[in-house]
Amino acid sequence: MGVTLKRILVIDDAATVRLYHRGILEAAGFAVSEAINGLEALERVAEAPFDLYVVDINMPKLDGYGFLRELRSKDIPQAPAIMVSTEAAANDQKLAYVSGANLYLIKPVRPERLLAHVLTLLGLSVAPRDPHQGRHQ
Amino acid sequence: MMEPTTISDDEFQKFREFFYRKTGILFEDSKRYFVDKRLLERMTLTACETFRSYFTMLRFQTSGEELQALINAMTVNETYFFREEYQFQCLVNSMLEEIVAQRTTNAPIRIWSVPSSSGEEPYSIAIYLLEYWPHLTRWDVEIISSDIDTQILNQARRGLYTPRAVQHLPASLLKKYFQRDGEYYQIGTELRDAVEFTRVNVSDAADMRLHRQFDVIFCRNLLIYFDDLSRKQTAESFYDALNPGGFVCLGHSESMSRISSLFRVRKFPEAIVYQKPWGSR
Amino acid sequence: MALKKAAAQATTTDDERQRDRDLDGLVLALADADPLARRWAARDLVAYPTATTALIAQLMVESEPSVMEVILTTLTRIGDEQAVIGLVQCLRSEDAMLRNAAIEAMKLLPDEVAPMMGRLLADADPDVRIFAVNVLESLRHPQVENWLLRVITDDAHINVCATAVDLLGEVGSEVAVPALRALKQRFTEEPYIQFAADLALKRIAAG
Ligand SMILES: C[S@@+](CC[C@H](N)C(=O)[O-])C[C@H]1O[C@@H](n2cnc3c(N)ncnc32)[C@H](O)[C@@H]1O
């Protein structure tokens, strides 16, 4: 392929959640990396920034809010971040936006919703690849 | 007298917990053979016929002599000159530059290499500074290096190395800093005078408290032997041993992101290291 | 200027450890204005298991993350019932950082946490139930699978179930199969539950 893939970092301490998000995003033609907490995510970002972040809130060492605050204070190309959490409380949502999230989704997230938001935030009208063709599960 | 021959499962468990509490080193079941063998050796040497009597001595001997001997027997000391050299490059090209740029006094820069093992790491740091850090003309640097194993510390002070330990050193540096002694290589006075060795158990708060005000800590290939809690505890002690802005360098298979949230990751061209934030206390 | 041999001991005048190192002195130091003094107090208090109450009280008001971290490490090292009760209290904190740090600490105390698990998994607050399932992850306890099965069978909250399924993929055995199938039936419209339950079933089948 001639074009370089858009890179997405999925940050969640639950392995199954990372796998789920990875499956959805890779099927749509994105390159996905993973991190198990906010600190590890910052390490990944230090290696090379991403085009989009999918961030859980509750994680050990550094939670999603802390990750976004650190990310946003960095002098690097910034990219949209989707916060994904089990917490439905209005206060958590507010905190997510204040920390630098572009969008807040409540878990569990449906594949088509996640994908639609990712495309919008990346300014794409269609997915790089049709997720329904040759979907690898 | 009967020679002790076996260690039971219960005894192994008991010993493992005790040793872990003392040193932070946790032996997996897979290390059972190694541990039993060392224990039986020490029991024979100390004329203890049963594990029980040996264990009592280990725990209650006031001098702690036998515990130290056992620690010496149980530790893995593998190391060599210029191991993970990219971190030394990072030290002279990036970390020290940032540190001196922020300095307001001309107090010496302090570097801690722990664990030292037989000294290859701290002497490598000394060589690197002498060879590749131009600002050494303007700054004093103190290198302190520590290990829990007293025997290996003596070896480090002696500074006598096999060809294998020095095989990654460029020939010119080998010639400059070592004298050939038969099959061995003996460090010269320049290196010997550059490093101070001390005995430290990083899991012991009293030992750690004596080691402070460092600008860079190298702690490579130690935490991999520890369990989560001991790793975290050690990282926290390092935080208080560092000046604000100070760096921690870990081995290539170790990551602070899984250990403690006190440090911030710093990416330099040569390496990823961890920093106690400037302005923290 | 050059490489210099050092006295290993840092010559320092600002000794933050100047207060008495007995229980009362350390508890006082725990409220010192200097975070460095607070960290040293929290670290040295490991010698006094009766200090858990004071440590937890400080934890609840502590604003400096580095001090929080050391207090939690000491509580974990003390690791008695009092300490665990304090950690459980933290699960209800508004502060996400404190909650997550308490979960981490509890994961390191499986034996002490196990007796409280039943109660935590029945807590009225779904978030507390999710945290409890998170703690289960590291509990090497014979009951773990049973607890998880109870959660995916009885808990009405989808995210509590989701967290439990994640874990069943790791610790589940043949016994879990009917409950996983029933869970899929209960949440037919939820792709995540379908995905996670299928993954768990696949892993169990693979042994
Ligand atoms: C594999 S060597 C690492 C040497 C060197 N840093 C390197 O990376 O090449 C590990 C050393 O850790 C030391 N050690 C083990 N437990 C220790 C502890 N609790 N405190 C200090 N040193 C310890 C051992 O004695 C051994 O010399």
Side-chain angles (χ1 to χ4, degrees), chain B:
Chain B
M1 191 192 96
M2 263 202 13
E3 282 216 354
T5 49
T6 56
I7 307 285
S8 76
D9 291 355
D10 282 346
E11 288 165 348
F12 175 73
Q13 288 299 344
K14 227 158 100 179
F15 169 73
R16 166 156 81 178
E17 271 161 39
F18 167 79
F19 198 74
Y20 162 63
R21 231 179 327 109
K22 285 288 176 195
T23 65
I25 301 173
L26 187 69
F27 291 116
E28 300 296 332
D29 288 336
S30 59
K31 288 278 158 63
R32 175 73 189 266
Y33 175 77
F34 168 87
V35 171
D36 285 12
K37 193 157 169 263
R38 297 294 182 294
L39 272 175
L40 291 169
E41 274 166 21
R42 289 307 310 168
M43 284 163 66
T44 307
L45 284 168
T46 52
C48 288
E49 286 178 38
T50 62
F51 174 80
R52 209 165 131 205
S53 64
Y54 180 73
F55 197 55
T56 307
M57 170 167 76
L58 209 53
R59 286 170 53 188
F60 298 109
Q61 191 186 52
T62 41
S63 68
E65 213 175 303
E66 182 50 31
L67 178 61
Q68 183 63 57
L70 186 69
I71 288 172
N72 293 357
M74 291 284 182
T75 43
V76 180
N77 303 122
E78 198 233 333
T79 182
Y80 48 86
F81 278 88
F82 281 25
R83 184 181 197 178
E84 294 168 42
E85 185 182 356
Y86 60 92
Q87 279 189 349
F88 305 136
Q89 291 165 349
C90 186
L91 176 73
V92 295
N93 295 336
S94 303
M95 289 188 266
L96 289 180
E97 295 304 294
E98 178 166 323
I99 282 164
V100 297
Q102 300 279 338
R103 271 298 180 91
T104 49
T105 69
N106 57 3
I109 292 173
R110 286 166 52 86
I111 300 176
W112 193 13
S113 160
V114 56
S116 66
S117 189
S118 32
E120 287 86 334
E121 181 177 293
Y123 291 133
S124 296
I125 295 170
I127 295 174
Y128 241 84
L129 291 171
L130 289 164
E131 291 293 316
Y132 307 114
W133 197 49
H135 295 322
L136 195 59
T137 50
R138 288 199 278 125
W139 294 89
D140 277 336
V141 180
E142 299 177 349
I143 304 173
I144 292 112
S145 194
S146 316
D147 203 284
I148 195 175
D149 181 339
T150 49
Q151 233 162 20
I152 208 77
L153 280 169
N154 285 335
Q155 214 171 304
R157 290 190 187 99
R158 204 177 317 130
L160 197 59
Y161 296 101
T162 62
R164 197 166 155 203
V166 298
Q167 67 181 337
H168 296 286
L169 279 176
S172 59
L173 296 182
L174 194 57
K175 195 152 163 243
K176 184 162 167 191
Y177 292 102
F178 295 77
Q179 286 106 45
R180 193 76 193 248
D181 180 352
E183 264 188 55
Y184 295 92
Y185 294 87
Q186 168 71 55
I187 55 156
T189 45
E190 193 171 15
L191 290 187
R192 183 189 303 287
D193 290 345
V195 183
E196 170 74 23
F197 288 97
T198 63
R199 190 229 171 247
V200 166
N201 175 357
V202 298
S203 298
D204 186 316
D207 286 357
M208 294 300 276
R209 171 176 307 147
L210 296 176
H211 291 72
R212 310 236 319 259
Q213 298 183 336
F214 289 102
D215 297 294
V216 184
I217 297 176
F218 286 86
C219 179
R220 312 192 307 173
N221 306 303
L222 169 65
L223 300 182
I224 36 169
Y225 301 108
F226 284 13
D227 82 326
D228 289 341
L229 184 57
S230 306
R231 283 182 190 143
K232 186 160 175 267
Q233 193 190 325
T234 305
E236 287 165 13
S237 309
F238 285 162
Y239 188 80
D240 282 331
L242 281 172
N243 294 326
F247 295 100
V248 178
C249 305
L250 299 177
H252 71 96
S253 58
E254 300 159 330
S255 166
M256 194 62 97
S257 310
R258 306 242 172 152
I259 301 176
S260 162
S261 37
L262 293 176
F263 299 89
R264 283 295 158 257
V265 63
R266 280 299 301 275
K267 156 105 176 146
F268 289 115
E270 306 84 4
I272 283 193
V273 299
Y274 304 91
Q275 185 169 36
K276 173 171 176 173
W278 289 105
S280 62
R281 166 86 175 134

Side-chain angles (χ1 to χ4, degrees), chain A residues 13-14 16-17 19-20 57-61 63 65 85-87 91-92 106-111 137, chain C residues 94 96-97 99-100 104 107 127 130-131 134 157-159 165-166 189-192 195-196 199 202-203:
Chain A
D13 55 335
T16 314
V17 176
L19 213 56
Y20 176 73
I57 290 186
N58 285 313
M59 295 181 286
K61 305 298 178 208
D63 60 32
Y65 304 126
S85 178
T86 58
E87 324 231 350
N91 195 36
D92 297 310
I106 292 169
K107 280 186 184 175
V109 186
R110 299 181 158 275
Q137 270 255 347
Chain C
E94 284 292 299
M97 189 165 60
R99 280 192 318 255
N100 291 316
E104 267 195 275
K107 283 186 185 173
D127 283 334
I130 290 174
F131 300 149
N134 272 317
H157 198 290
I158 182 167
N159 281 319
V165 186
D166 291 350
E189 297 297 307
E190 287 295 344
Y192 180 77
F195 172 86
L199 188 70
K202 204 169 87 191
R203 291 200 173 147

